[in-house]
Amino acid sequence: MFHKALSLALLAVSAHGFAPMAPSATATRGMQSSTTSALNFQVTLISDKGLNETFECDPNTFILDAAELKGVPAPYSCRAGACSSCASIVQEGEIDQSGNLFLEDSKVDQGWILSCVSYPRSDCTIKVDCENEFYSS
């Protein structure tokens, strides 16, 4: 019985270790290069509240994660593409959001993305903090 309980406890600890986590700015800051890479894209986040911030994002990093690492405020909740807290509108550029679980095709056709599961595929401008607008469109 003790071995069974110990096995279950170890399994629970192992499963917890694989849970998705937000990137830690302090853990990754030292690994970032100060020079601009030709493989990265320039992402500009704008909002009706006056946000206008541009940062670099590599094609394998979610836009929300890159924004957070650079200290750019952007709304989010689930970080899994299953809600609308980070709903944003692409103004310019190309995005890959193959991890989207929430948006209907009609919303995607209108330019809506979920920044927590979206990768840049070119330099882009994205309007963020527009969840209310998402439900009224």
Side-chain angles (χ1 to χ4, degrees), residues 13 24 26 52 81 113:
V13 170
S24 168
T26 33
N52 188 346
I113 65 165

Side-chain angles (χ1 to χ4, degrees), residues 14-94:
S14 296
H16 178 71
F18 290 103
M21 295 175 50
S24 168
T26 33
T28 58
R29 192 168 287 139
M31 296 185 299
Q32 295 175 355
S33 169
S34 62
T35 59
T36 301
S37 169
L39 301 176
N40 292 343
F41 299 112
Q42 295 295 311
V43 175
T44 301
L45 299 186
I46 60 172
S47 76
D48 290 340
K49 296 177 181 177
L51 178 69
N52 188 346
E53 295 280 342
T54 301
F55 55 91
E56 236 182 70
C57 184
D58 74 70
N60 298 313
T61 299
F62 292 131
I63 293 167
L64 177 63
D65 291 346
E68 198 169 46
L69 286 171
K70 300 296 183 181
V72 178
Y76 68 91
S77 182
C78 75
R79 290 188 168 277
C83 75
S84 62
S85 294
C86 67
S88 308
I89 303 171
V90 177
Q91 305 287 306
E92 294 178 16
E94 294 180 33

